[in-house]
Amino acid sequence: MKDQIFTPTKLADDLVSLAKVSNPSSIADFAAGDGALLKAANKTWPEAALFAVDIDHTKKQNIRSWNGQAKFHCADFIDDGGQNGIGAILPATGVDLVLLNPPFSN
């Protein structure tokens, strides 16, 4: 089953405003959906590298429509880790900030 629970823009903006990081150079969302959390983060930190993971490959174009530089990986972040999973797109040093609206139905 695929959960599709999208974060409203206002909630995404509010969540980003609560982040206790001053200037992240990299930001990830492991259940990116249509990218609302990353889009809010991009407004606050436009220089940060963005990393999106989502189980739905059709979300890549939506995210790339407002940020062509965002890295996207189609995967189930709960079950698909390691070298060929989400780790394949992340910097070796990790990321500075993770934003997440987890679609947990299990």
Side-chain angles (χ1 to χ4, degrees), residues 29-78:
D29 184 346
F30 300 127
D34 58 5
L37 291 170
L38 290 174
K39 194 171 192 176
N42 192 64
K43 288 187 281 188
T44 302
W45 303 290
E47 299 300 317
L50 303 179
F51 299 91
V53 176
D54 199 85
I55 197 168
D56 185 349
H57 67 88
T58 65
K59 300 305 179 190
K60 179 179 185 176
Q61 279 307 107
N62 185 30
I63 291 169
R64 292 263 174 92
S65 72
W66 55 264
N67 186 312
Q69 301 301 311
K71 304 278 189 217
F72 184 92
H73 185 68
C74 185
D76 179 345
F77 84 100
I78 296 172

